[in-house]
Amino acid sequence: QVQLVESGGGLVQAGGSLRLSCAASGRAFSSYAMGWFRQSPGKERDFVAASSSGGSKYYADSVAGRFTISRDNAKNTVYLYVNSLKPEDTAVYYCAGGRMLSRRSHDYDYWGQGTQVTVSS
């Protein structure tokens, strides 16, 4: 069992930056693929970024070059650095853990409660 807790969201102006964190409890964090997804009101949950246990990374086209996913296995934490934020990045950001690196939400077994990111224009 893995429990995930996100933090680091907030209100930021367009062009600003945030660091989102996802702390994991439970065993074998380093063996899990970790992903970030986001969801805006009335929309589906969309893939943002993911990192395999071995360091391979995927990014959504909409965030590539602006967002960076990284993980610190010693701290059981995965980060999402979000830069050059745009109003359309406003959403609840969720981290997720699973056995395989994937862009699909249903491939992830564990989910956090989410952290709100709001970007003002």
Side-chain angles (χ1 to χ4, degrees):
Q1 188 77 12
V2 176
Q3 292 161 344
L4 305 173
V5 179
E6 302 96 333
S7 61
L11 174 63
V12 62
Q13 289 188 331
S17 300
L18 289 170
R19 186 186 76 168
L20 307 184
S21 300
C22 174
S25 61
R27 296 182 292 179
F29 169 81
S30 62
S31 68
Y32 282 91
M34 299 298 297
W36 286 94
F37 292 77
R38 65 186 181 185
Q39 188 169 21
S40 302
K43 296 186 178 180
E44 294 184 352
R45 189 169 296 188
D46 291 331
F47 170 76
V48 175
S51 172
S52 72
S53 59
S56 297
K57 299 177 182 180
Y58 289 165
Y59 292 98
D61 290 344
S62 59
V63 307
R66 299 189 298 123
F67 291 12
T68 301
I69 186 171
S70 68
R71 58 193 298 164
D72 185 336
N73 289 334
K75 295 183 177 180
N76 279 12
T77 301
V78 60
Y79 303 99
L80 185 69
Y81 296 86
V82 296
N83 301 308
S84 303
L85 282 162
K86 306 174 182 179
E88 52 264 42
D89 294 318
T90 295
V92 177
Y93 284 70
Y94 298 90
C95 75
R99 291 181 173 82
M100 59 181 291
L101 183 63
S102 174
R103 300 173 186 267
R104 303 180 302 181
S105 60
H106 64 257
D107 286 330
Y108 291 85
D109 302 311
Y110 306 105
W111 291 85
Q113 83 290 346
T115 186
Q116 175 72 47
V117 172
T118 302
V119 184
S120 63
S121 58

